[in-house]
Amino acid sequence: MVLNPVTGAFLDGLRATLPETCFRPIAPRYLSEPRGFYAGQAGCLLLPSSAGEVALILRHCNAARVGVVPYGGGTGLVGGQVMPKGAPAPVVLSLERLDSIEKPDLQDNTLVVGAGAILADVQAVAAAAARLFPLSLASEGSCRIGGNLASNAGGVQVLRYGNARALCLGLEAVLPEGRIWQGLKRLRKDNTGYDLRDLLIGSEGTLGVITRAVLRLFPQPEQHLTAFLQIRDPRAAIDLLARCQARFGGLVSAFELIDRTGFEFLQETLPSLRRPFAAPGKWMVLLEIGAGTDFPAQTVLESVLEAAFDAGLMHDAVIAQSEAQREAFWAVRERIPEANRLIGAISSHDISVPLGQLPEMIRKGAGVVARFGDLRVNCFGHVGDGNLHYNVYPPKGAHRADFSHLRDDIKRAIHDLVDTLGGSFSAEHGIGRLKRDDLSRYGDPAKLAAMRAIKTALDPNGIMNPGVIFAPS
Ligand SMILES: Cc1cc2nc3c(=O)[nH]c(=O)nc-3n(C[C@H](O)[C@H](O)[C@H](O)COP(=O)(O)OP(=O)(O)OC[C@H]3O[C@@H](n4cnc5c(N)ncnc54)[C@H](O)[C@@H]3O)c2cc1C
């Protein structure tokens, strides 16, 4: 599909139909992404304020065959929100002005929000109504609901509440040819053929632009019990998770595995951050239970931990005694990505494997990385979901640039291992531009053919986020 760049004549046509407030100078943040792998380009930056304006833009782009890059909070980790030079300069379409958050519906337990609403603001509105919107990511102060849905974000509470797809009941979206799909339903059951909502969620801006969403809310747990544990090894983490789930049922809301390397990176880069253990062991778990006040959570947790001590699964535990301590525990987990960024990974992998294969992944992964030299691995993540952020770093004191020649080979070796264990090379970050070669390598051919057919049917001119998920044709 041959696309055209944004030209003066194209902009004149847009100016004839859109208010001047939609046109903004292109600030550098719209052309960069957190990992610094890609520098973007833009023919123009547009900030529409309604689905109607988005529809006008897409109609115009479709007629002129100009590419469109939807932009939420810009925190995506696979380069989906930036288009590097090499393709015709696209329209960058930021949804940030569609940031409305309606009053929560407390009977339905739903909340209607614009695609540009910041995740932390959505959580706050839900909390003010004594409800929980459980999507929770370290980037929640910047990422926006449209981006969360387009990338089907995960985060730390998927174990209990599911990922972004599971938290969305309905969508309003603009399809590539400029038609507005009014799918803002609040239904938990709607079995009426192909599910456009589920198709758009996770489509990373390649099938249309999400403009509004109906989100699911949950009762706010009356008490949280948060514990940092030092455990024997990754297999012990899985045993412990099973014990917790047996005793707490669905009340386990987070179960995060943390490697001592994560603590060392925090010490190296953010030394003032309070850490729960002076002498951390090799493996730790951050566990959270959310329950009603009537449930004897503390007693049950103590008995689970006692039995786990006796079984040799763990050797130390600290239970948060106050909200401030709970926040301090979470700050440790949530600032690991920042510490990682400051250290600078040679190669990062967002992988998932069947839960039972997780220890094998960690064991064999260490062997795979050792083949490339004396490198450091920081492996942490949402172990309850079988999802690890398996990141490889240079030795202490060295710089990642000196190892960049190894990046592709390391990535390939880790993803090959994940594939043999029946896992996925992208657990929660999506494909974007970074992982499209992996998709063509590891993806099922029938699935890829169906995906291409869907893309062509909905976006025949290929204007939506060209180069994301599939290489530009
Ligand atoms: C510190 C840090 C921690 C993170 N932790 C997690 C984590 O735990 N779990 C996780 O899943 N992710 C995590 N991420 C990745 C990222 O925050 C999520 O992918 C987030 O959902 C992206 O939202 P965004 O608004 O920033 O989207 P953007 O980065 O702006 O865009 C992401 C993709 O969605 C498309 N898009 C954006 N808005 C729309 C729209 N309205 N309609 C259609 N397409 C659109 C873009 O074109 C792009 O392809 C983390 C990132 C950082 C920097």
Side-chain angles (χ1 to χ4, degrees):
M1 223 70 64
V2 181
L3 293 174
N4 299 311
V6 170
T7 60
F10 172 84
L11 282 173
D12 289 345
L14 268 180
R15 281 210 155 83
T17 50
L18 283 175
E20 197 50 37
T21 45
C22 292
F23 297 82
R24 301 291 169 97
I26 307 161
R29 73 184 172 95
Y30 296 100
L31 305 179
S32 61
E33 46 84 24
R35 289 206 163 130
F37 290 145
Y38 302 98
Q41 57 157 344
C44 68
L45 170 66
L46 299 177
L47 270 66
S49 66
S50 66
E53 287 178 2
V54 174
L56 281 173
I57 294 168
L58 292 201
R59 241 174 266 145
H60 198 70
C61 290
N62 192 48
R65 301 199 173 192
V66 167
V68 179
V69 178
Y71 188 96
T75 68
L77 294 176
V78 288
Q81 69 278 35
V82 286
M83 186 199 277
K85 289 201 170 73
V91 167
V92 171
L93 182 68
S94 171
L95 282 305
E96 67 203 65
R97 288 175 70 208
L98 276 73
D99 61 352
S100 63
I101 304 179
E102 291 182 12
K103 205 163 153 253
D105 182 324
L106 300 182
Q107 275 191 333
D108 260 351
N109 272 322
T110 54
L111 181 58
V112 179
V113 305
I118 288 186
L119 173 56
D121 295 342
V122 173
Q123 294 166 342
V125 168
R131 293 293 187 275
L132 174 73
F133 181 61
L135 189 65
S136 176
L137 327 174
S139 55
E140 62 202 23
S142 314
C143 60
R144 297 174 188 271
I145 290 297
N148 297 145
L149 292 168
S151 60
N152 188 25
V156 293
Q157 301 202 86
V158 173
L159 183 62
R160 178 165 178 179
Y161 299 101
N163 51 18
R165 178 175 279 124
L167 299 174
C168 176
L169 293 179
L171 284 182
E172 174 192 81
V174 183
L175 300 177
E177 292 173 303
R179 294 181 75 173
I180 300 177
W181 171 50
Q182 297 291 357
L184 270 188
K185 293 199 171 173
R186 295 153 187 260
L187 304 176
R188 278 150 175 96
K189 286 189 165 180
D190 180 19
N191 217 353
T192 51
Y194 301 148
D195 197 326
L196 202 47
R197 176 197 61 191
D198 279 358
L199 194 56
L200 283 167
I201 296 174
S203 66
E204 302 183 54
T206 62
L207 297 179
V209 177
I210 294 167
T211 48
R212 273 199 295 172
V214 183
L215 304 177
R216 291 177 67 192
L217 301 179
F218 295 81
Q220 187 73 258
E222 291 168 315
Q223 60 166 326
H224 285 111
L225 208 57
T226 309
F228 236 116
L229 318 174
Q230 300 220 37
I231 56 160
R232 188 191 64 211
D233 55 18
R235 184 153 308 280
I238 295 170
D239 285 359
L240 198 53
L241 173 63
R243 286 166 183 249
C244 288
Q245 286 176 323
R247 297 291 298 278
F248 286 105
L251 302 180
V252 183
S253 46
F255 200 89
E256 298 285 302
L257 184 71
I258 300 176
D259 180 346
R260 182 172 50 212
T261 313
F263 271 50
E264 288 165 358
F265 283 9
L266 288 169
Q267 175 68 36
E268 228 174 298
T269 57
L270 304 165
S272 60
L273 191 73
R274 266 177 47 211
R275 287 177 296 281
F277 303 112
K282 174 64 183 149
W283 295 104
M284 283 152 283
V285 158
L286 176 60
L287 153 76
E288 186 157 282
I289 311 290
T293 39
D294 293 343
F295 186 84
Q298 175 99 17
T299 313
V300 176
L301 184 63
E302 280 168 6
S303 109
V304 172
L305 296 185
E306 216 174 285
F309 271 115
D310 293 346
L313 299 179
M314 53 177 285
H315 51 274
D316 201 357
V318 208
I319 300 178
Q321 297 302 317
S322 63
E323 186 54 29
Q325 204 178 5
R326 173 180 174 233
E327 282 170 16
F329 283 9
W330 275 109
V332 169
R333 166 62 185 86
E334 279 164 4
R335 296 194 75 182
I336 288 176
E338 186 183 342
N340 287 347
R341 192 177 47 76
L342 293 168
I343 299 277
I346 304 169
S347 181
S348 306
H349 315 93
D350 161 40
I351 56 126
S352 63
V353 291
L355 212 50
Q357 297 286 6
L358 209 120
E360 207 52 4
M361 172 63 218
I362 292 174
R363 192 182 65 78
K364 288 190 169 161
V368 164
V369 174
R371 293 208 308 259
F372 293 92
D374 183 22
L375 305 176
R376 293 184 290 176
V377 172
N378 186 12
C379 156
F380 66 103
H382 319 301
V383 73
D385 312 320
N387 175 194
L388 289 176
H389 299 306
Y390 194 95
N391 302 341
V392 181
Y393 297 83
K396 197 169 178 186
H399 195 270
R400 74 165 167 173
D402 298 327
F403 297 83
S404 53
H405 61 285
L406 295 178
R407 189 169 146 234
D408 287 350
D409 290 342
I410 295 175
K411 189 176 81 160
R412 172 82 175 270
I414 296 290
H415 288 172
D416 280 353
L417 171 61
V418 169
D419 194 49
T420 59
L421 294 173
S424 166
F425 63 88
S426 183
E428 59 175 10
H429 294 160
I431 302 297
R433 294 184 165 79
L434 190 65
K435 296 190 178 177
R436 62 181 191 219
D437 291 346
D438 295 294
L439 180 65
S440 61
R441 180 174 175 77
Y442 301 106
D444 174 77
K447 179 185 171 185
L448 290 179
M451 283 171 63
R452 280 188 191 281
I454 291 166
K455 170 73 176 169
T456 308
L458 289 182
D459 182 16
N461 291 331
I463 61 161
M464 290 308 309
N465 225 352
V468 164
I469 298 184
F470 298 114
S473 48

